[in-house]
Amino acid sequence: MSYAMSVLYGRALPDARDGLKPVHRRILYAMHELGLASRKPFRKCAKVVGEVLGNYHPHGDTAVYDSLVRMAQNFSMRYPLIQGFGNFGSVDADPAAAMRYTECRLEMLTEVMLLTDLELDTVDFVPNFDNSKMEPSLLPARIPNLLLNGSSGIAVGMATNIPPHNLSEIVDALSALIRNPDVTLQELLEYMPGPDFPTGGLIIGNIGILEAYRSGRGQIVIRGKTEVELLDEKNKHTSIVIKEIPYQTNKAALVEKIADLVEEKVLEGISDIRDESDRLGMRIVIELKRGTDPSIVLNKLYRLTDLQSSFSCNMVGILDGQPKLMGIKELLQAFLDFQALLLAD
């Protein structure tokens, strides 16, 4: 039981107030202490990882570096907290380069929304693992980062999976809750209609959103965004272009799966598949045989591949020192209570 609680609090679950797990909080604080501001030069990630390991987080360097990399990936985080310079991986699940090659510094959003007023005793500081330094027990967040970027983690007997959201929609929902503490879920949904995933896609239906926002658990169905392009009007020669994919979907694996289904003759009517994605955006071209109905092929793609997938919401965070499953209103209220406490201090 002691080990399970240690994993819950020390690694796997985020705090409902600043939305960060201990490793993320320590990375950001270490970068703040090193002076890696958004307008300062980049520094090697190995320097940051060494600082975190030596002073705050005595665990494996791989765990720290992987956490740092994720905070810099714009396909993993709706609003990245770290600026990365170098190879930080891709949506094809390519790994980041070794920490001795990559460089990083804080994003301006992180400085303004998570680290401002840290030196003004706005939050409690606690001794680090060997009592040689002090570290913040949480950061003085000005935004509900737990909803902004979401979180995922697996602990002992408990897990969390929170989707990311749009900043302006969260602010509007918070304003509505401040004006009327008895606001209903339906009224909050007018300001905050659903998650906002960094890789885009379309959310199918709102029953999953309603259930997740009400109880903290629910299944949200996400479908990739596609367009049908006409190649030859006379012969009805068309192609399906995938421009956005569901969150946490491996693009390379998706293309490979489609190719395998075509080779096995499970998917018919496809003559060619090309990944034309570049730094300007995603573009997977599925060229169809002449006379093939694109809607039939699309429906099979949704059914047989990850072009349509489900995001399982399980909104668990640490509140008042205890892990708790919370709905959207309770999460927003927890952040407002935290802000009131900061102002009182």
Side-chain angles (χ1 to χ4, degrees), residues 259-290:
D260 289 343
L261 290 173
V262 172
E263 192 174 335
E264 294 165 6
K265 301 191 184 305
V266 177
L267 263 177
E268 297 180 345
I270 295 176
S271 60
D272 191 22
I273 306 168
R274 299 186 303 277
D275 186 359
E276 299 179 355
S277 306
D278 55 23
R279 65 182 61 190
L280 299 177
M282 187 178 296
R283 181 180 169 86
I284 303 169
V285 179
I286 302 172
E287 201 168 312
L288 305 181
K289 295 177 181 177
R290 286 176 173 79

Side-chain angles (χ1 to χ4, degrees), residues 9-253:
Y9 295 122
R11 296 195 190 185
L13 295 185
D15 195 293
R17 295 168 292 181
D18 66 358
L20 297 171
K21 299 178 187 178
V23 64
H24 299 125
R25 190 179 299 117
R26 287 163 176 167
I27 290 170
L28 296 178
Y29 180 65
M31 293 178 70
H32 177 68
E33 287 290 284
L34 288 170
L36 302 184
S38 58
R39 296 182 180 177
K40 296 291 180 68
F42 287 96
R43 295 286 294 276
K44 290 289 185 183
C45 291
K47 169 75 173 176
V48 176
V49 172
E51 184 79 7
V52 174
L53 290 177
N55 292 328
Y56 308 112
H57 199 73
H59 298 284
D61 60 335
T62 302
V64 175
Y65 184 52
D66 287 350
S67 298
L68 188 156
V69 165
R70 190 177 185 279
M71 286 194 285
Q73 293 175 332
N74 60 5
F75 53 88
S76 295
M77 307 282 280
R78 181 62 182 84
Y79 298 92
L81 301 177
I82 292 174
Q83 290 183 51
F85 183 74
N87 175 15
F88 275 78
S90 73
V91 74
D92 290 327
D94 297 317
M99 67 179 84
R100 61 183 179 273
Y101 300 120
T102 55
E103 299 180 358
C104 65
R105 66 185 179 191
L106 292 169
E107 283 280 3
M108 187 175 292
L109 175 78
T110 311
E111 294 177 310
V112 174
M113 296 299 185
L114 289 174
L115 295 166
T116 301
D117 298 337
L118 187 60
E119 288 81 12
L120 301 179
D121 294 329
T122 48
V123 294
D124 293 332
F125 277 70
V126 296
N128 68 342
F129 63 91
D130 62 357
N131 288 319
S132 62
K133 282 180 173 288
M134 301 294 284
E135 61 174 308
S137 57
L138 70 162
L139 298 182
R142 294 186 173 188
I143 50 171
N145 184 57
L146 187 59
L147 288 172
L148 193 70
N149 278 315
S151 185
S152 63
I154 300 173
V156 180
M158 194 171 290
T160 186
N161 203 28
I162 302 172
H165 293 80
N166 184 276
L167 176 58
S168 60
E169 292 175 358
I170 289 176
V171 172
D172 289 343
L174 283 170
S175 300
L177 187 57
I178 290 170
R179 288 193 301 268
N180 178 18
D182 297 322
V183 66
T184 65
L185 179 60
Q186 289 290 347
E187 290 170 336
L188 280 177
L189 283 169
E190 294 178 11
Y191 303 99
M192 193 175 171
D196 186 9
F197 296 102
T199 53
L202 303 170
I203 295 177
I204 307 302
N206 59 6
I207 296 174
I209 296 173
L210 282 169
E211 190 57 34
Y213 282 6
R214 182 182 297 111
S215 67
R217 282 203 179 101
Q219 292 269 351
I220 297 175
V221 179
I222 316 165
R223 182 177 286 181
K225 190 175 181 181
T226 60
E227 291 181 2
V228 176
E229 292 185 357
L230 191 62
L231 301 176
D232 186 347
E233 188 173 355
K234 182 179 179 182
N235 296 316
K236 295 183 179 180
H237 188 196
T238 58
S239 66
I240 297 170
V241 180
I242 302 172
K243 296 197 169 181
E244 296 174 4
I245 58 176
Y247 186 48
Q248 296 175 336
T249 295
N250 184 328
K251 176 165 67 69

